[in-house]
Amino acid sequence: MNTAAACCETEPAQAPANTSRIGLIVPSSNTTMETELPELFRRQSQATGHRYTFHSARAGMKRVNREELAAMVGKAADCAASVSDADVDVIAYACLVAVMAQGPNAHVGSEQTIADAAANNGHPAEVTSSAGALVRTLQEMGARRIAMVTPYVPALTQTVADYIEGAGIEVVDSVSLSVDNNLEVGRLDPQQLPGIAQKLNREGVDAVILSACVQMPSLAAVQTAEDQLGVPVITAAVATTYEILKALGHTPAISGAGRLLAGDLVPAVK
């Protein structure tokens, strides 16, 4: 038996010193997270020289309803063990509303479940979730009042609003695009988002969430919306990227995606 070949089949190769491995857990119908995040990290690489690779596990979910969201949450541990086989440095659980629909502060338990599964599989990793990343990033920015755009039906948008408000952040206004087919969410035109955001009640808001969903494409519109609205603009994907960089100990240096990822955090509101 060829010992070297056997080792190659059972042990992931160690990443080079200037490379970080990012694990993603995404809904099976997600088509956006695995395009927007690599593009954001490509810009980070361009600015810093550090390289990032992506490794995904998929959990079945086609329609954005409470039953399928709950089923996806139940698959988190198995997905975490699977993606940790690649010896990733950080794992991002990328389905915001699946976690938020489980109740207040549910991201804490979800992130712990994923961390435990990876560690028990012999490959411990830092963990974030798009739900946790969004509320923690808003808190770090000092945002007390926000407005947001979601692709969800109104009832799920209210679930997201309640979750954010449970973290001490007032949701002044929201827009629901009422798309429940996750593939169709991924086909929405991001160029429409700045115009939609312009219609939000933004009086006294500290930030706008342009896409409170990792499946709704938004990267192409973040900088435009921020320039037009005059307040910080983030998305679920932007917040997840920010927390991945923090977990890796890397300073954000990403162009064209708003002030947060450019490394210019907004001071806390007094």
Side-chain angles (χ1 to χ4, degrees):
M1 181 176 181
N2 187 319
T3 304
C7 181
C8 181
E9 292 174 0
T10 59
E11 294 292 337
Q14 187 173 2
N18 67 333
T19 299
S20 297
R21 290 181 177 147
I22 298 169
L24 296 177
I25 300 174
V26 298
S28 56
S29 53
N30 189 284
T31 56
T32 302
M33 202 62 166
E34 292 155 310
T35 56
E36 290 198 345
L37 257 67
E39 170 56 24
L40 287 165
F41 280 90
R42 183 196 66 78
R43 299 180 196 180
Q44 178 79 8
S45 295
Q46 192 173 45
T48 66
H50 193 86
R51 186 168 176 262
Y52 303 87
T53 63
F54 290 84
H55 314 273
S56 298
R58 312 185 80 76
M61 196 272 279
K62 296 179 181 179
R63 304 199 75 85
V64 191
N65 57 47
R66 291 187 181 275
E67 293 75 21
E68 290 203 33
L69 293 172
M72 180 184 167
V73 168
K75 299 167 186 172
D78 287 344
C79 286
S82 175
V83 78
S84 74
D85 281 344
D87 197 24
V88 295
D89 299 297
V90 59
I91 299 173
Y93 185 31
C95 188
L96 179 138
V97 73
V99 173
M100 290 188 175
Q102 306 314 306
N105 221 34
H107 62 273
V108 175
S110 291
E111 290 167 0
Q112 189 62 56
T113 294
I114 290 167
D116 290 346
N120 291 338
N121 194 42
H123 296 289
E126 296 292 323
V127 174
T128 186
S129 66
S130 51
L134 186 65
V135 295
R136 287 188 295 257
T137 297
L138 288 170
Q139 289 168 340
E140 185 170 340
M141 292 167 64
R144 296 177 181 174
R145 290 164 53 86
I146 63 100
M148 67 178 180
V149 181
T150 89
Y152 310 126
V153 297
L156 282 179
T157 297
Q158 188 60 51
T159 294
V160 174
D162 291 345
Y163 197 96
I164 292 171
E165 293 200 326
I169 301 160
E170 180 184 355
V171 179
V172 174
D173 196 14
S174 63
V175 170
S176 301
L177 300 183
S178 296
V179 182
D180 70 349
N181 182 297
N182 208 40
L183 275 176
E184 292 303 316
V185 172
R187 295 185 179 117
L188 293 171
D189 182 3
Q191 302 300 341
Q192 300 298 315
L193 288 174
I196 293 170
Q198 289 275 9
K199 298 174 184 177
L200 288 164
N201 173 14
R202 307 187 309 281
E203 184 177 357
V205 302
D206 304 306
V208 168
I209 303 172
L210 195 64
S211 174
C213 173
V214 294
Q215 171 70 335
M216 185 164 74
S218 56
L219 176 56
V222 171
Q223 191 66 57
T224 298
E226 187 170 272
D227 293 343
Q228 290 179 356
L229 300 178
V231 296
V233 170
I234 66 169
T235 70
V238 162
T240 304
T241 297
Y242 180 68
E243 283 225 333
I244 290 171
L245 287 169
K246 282 183 64 179
L248 295 170
H250 299 171
T251 301
I254 296 170
S255 63
R259 280 179 267 174
L260 176 71
L261 291 184
D264 181 20
L265 270 175
V266 176
V269 178
K270 301 298 184 184

